[in-house]
Amino acid sequence: MTTPDLFAPMTFSHGPAMPNRMMLAPLTNLQSNADGTLSEDEFHWLTLRAKGGFGLTMTCAAHVQAVGQGFPGQLGIFSDAHIPGLTRLAAAIKAEGSLAVVQLHHAGMRSPKDLIGTAPVCPSDNAEFGARALTAEEVETLIADFITAAKRAEIAGFDGVELHGAHGYVISQFLSPEINQRGDQWGGSAANRERLLDRIIAGVRATCRPDFNLGLRLSPERFGLRLAEVRDHAQRLMRAGDIDYLDMSLWDVRKEPNEEAFKGTSLISVFTGLDRGKVRLGVAGKIMSAEIARDCLAAGADFVLIGRGAILHHDWPKLAADPAFVAAKLPVTRAHLVAEGLGPVFVDYMATWKGFVEG
């Protein structure tokens, strides 16, 4: 199989083609208004990445229920009041030739109680997080609210949505045999634990227009997940073909799996070896140079998602035209981040990341 170039267009089963193989990863930035509406700082941060050449510009995780908020200053998509700001954002991203996508999210047990004003919810009671189990009726409402949020994104003019099924948030919590201790149709077997996600995918497909792009982010490790189960689930989703792409958040695209049974291989190869049909495969995790990005494509990925590198360089894709390009060495100054379009709140947030910001 010929390795695609980073700058080769990529088609999807639904919606327009991506003009290159570089996607902006969904990045927490704390910059939205307290009510979840879009702020000027977040608008500037995202549209600057579209101008910088990303083939697809994705928002941060946008919560589909008020009770699902995961962090302060989070973008919302749980109310029609969010549509005007989202409409402005989608139009501006698309005007730069980038696809516009909203990531749909619910933090589940990871919603801070002092932020949401009540106990967080989870598939099962969770003492560590002080979370209570969702009732069967609430599970149905959760599914409906993901689907309604996707419809809001469509109304706002976005090309598609990505479902956040990674990093121990609510979809991942349902998938986890460690966190999900339910005894009903939503827990127990892998098929039962995957049912919530299956229903959301089917609902988005049935509710949104035929050319609406639908992606899914999964992570293969941590939060009680089992790599073989995540692999088999990914294979089933790819064969079903209802999603357009699978975004695998690997933490580090060059790492070995954590599980002993998979040692001696690369984590990326667990997924590039799958029969993906028409579903595109993207990978994320410490892609900090053009060489690493190209290595991911050579290893069999269809595209890459740039996170930290995109924080450091709004025009990462344009810089990656130089095969020798490497992202700025850490730590960087606050002035560097301001020049790259981060607002004051986002800069302060990055300063909490060990070794990212000087001082």
Side-chain angles (χ1 to χ4, degrees):
M1 186 173 67
T2 304
T3 299
D5 184 82
L6 274 176
F7 294 89
M10 184 177 72
T11 57
F12 296 105
S13 294
H14 305 85
M18 197 165 135
N20 59 47
R21 304 301 176 110
M22 290 163 284
M23 185 181 290
L24 177 67
L27 291 162
T28 300
N29 60 77
L30 314 184
Q31 293 186 122
S32 288
N33 297 318
D35 61 359
T37 54
L38 184 77
S39 70
E40 286 301 319
D41 281 349
E42 188 151 22
F43 177 85
H44 178 60
W45 141 258
L46 286 167
T47 55
L48 193 60
R49 269 71 203 162
K51 291 176 184 176
F54 281 95
L56 185 151
T57 302
M58 196 182 310
T59 69
C60 69
H63 51 309
V64 303
Q65 291 183 336
V67 74
Q69 185 172 0
F71 45 87
Q74 183 175 5
L75 186 65
I77 195 166
F78 60 85
S79 165
D80 288 352
H82 299 129
I83 293 176
L86 292 169
T87 301
R88 177 183 173 226
L89 178 62
I93 290 172
K94 291 162 70 173
E96 299 297 338
S98 180
L99 301 192
V101 166
V102 180
Q103 189 191 56
L104 304 183
H105 166 262
H106 189 296
M109 68 184 187
R110 300 183 67 190
S111 296
K113 183 178 180 179
D114 60 352
L115 185 63
I116 62 173
T118 186
V121 294
C122 188
S124 313
D125 290 337
N126 189 287
E128 180 185 355
F129 288 88
R132 66 168 183 83
L134 289 155
T135 66
E137 184 179 8
E138 286 173 330
V139 174
E140 295 287 353
T141 300
L142 177 62
I143 293 167
D145 286 345
F146 266 99
I147 296 165
T148 301
K151 188 64 180 179
R152 286 193 185 100
E154 179 191 347
I155 291 168
F158 282 87
D159 295 298
V161 294
E162 178 182 89
L163 304 175
H164 196 338
H167 304 165
Y169 294 118
V170 82
I171 292 174
S172 178
Q173 289 161 27
F174 271 89
L175 296 175
S176 170
E178 183 178 296
I179 297 171
N180 184 350
Q181 297 294 311
R182 297 181 74 96
D184 59 7
Q185 64 174 323
W186 309 107
S189 68
N192 280 0
R193 286 181 278 110
E194 293 164 7
R195 192 184 308 276
L196 176 107
L197 178 56
D198 289 347
R199 286 274 305 278
I200 294 170
I201 291 170
V204 173
R205 276 280 167 248
T207 304
C208 296
R209 64 179 187 266
D211 66 343
F212 196 65
N213 185 284
L214 178 58
L216 169 66
R217 170 163 270 206
L218 293 178
S219 48
E221 299 178 324
R222 308 182 189 180
F223 304 105
L225 297 172
R226 299 168 183 162
L227 181 52
E229 198 170 272
V230 177
R231 176 201 62 198
D232 293 347
H233 186 202
Q235 181 62 90
R236 183 175 65 78
L237 290 168
M238 286 174 163
R239 285 187 175 141
D242 292 322
I243 59 172
D244 289 289
Y245 65 85
L246 181 63
D247 157 14
M248 290 304 308
S249 183
L250 304 181
W251 313 106
D252 184 339
V253 293
R254 295 167 295 181
K255 77 184 293 291
E256 276 194 354
N258 290 339
E259 292 182 30
E260 196 62 40
F262 287 87
K263 292 292 186 185
T265 187
S266 63
L267 188 55
I268 191 174
S269 69
V270 174
F271 298 95
T272 56
L274 298 178
D275 171 17
R276 67 192 74 162
K278 294 182 179 179
V279 176
R280 301 296 193 174
L281 175 66
V283 292
K286 297 184 180 178
I287 301 173
M288 299 296 281
S289 71
E291 180 181 13
I292 297 173
R294 289 182 167 87
D295 285 348
C296 290
L297 300 190
D302 293 305
F303 66 96
V304 294
L305 294 104
I306 310 300
R308 295 186 186 199
I311 294 172
L312 295 169
H313 302 282
H314 76 278
D315 54 352
W316 201 100
K318 293 179 180 179
L319 296 170
D322 176 1
F325 166 68
V326 179
K329 186 178 179 181
L330 298 174
V332 294
T333 64
R334 287 175 175 265
H336 174 96
L337 295 178
V338 170
E340 291 298 330
L342 281 68
V345 173
F346 197 179
V347 174
D348 286 345
Y349 173 54
M350 295 315 304
T352 68
W353 289 31
K354 186 177 179 181
F356 204 94
V357 181
E358 286 183 8

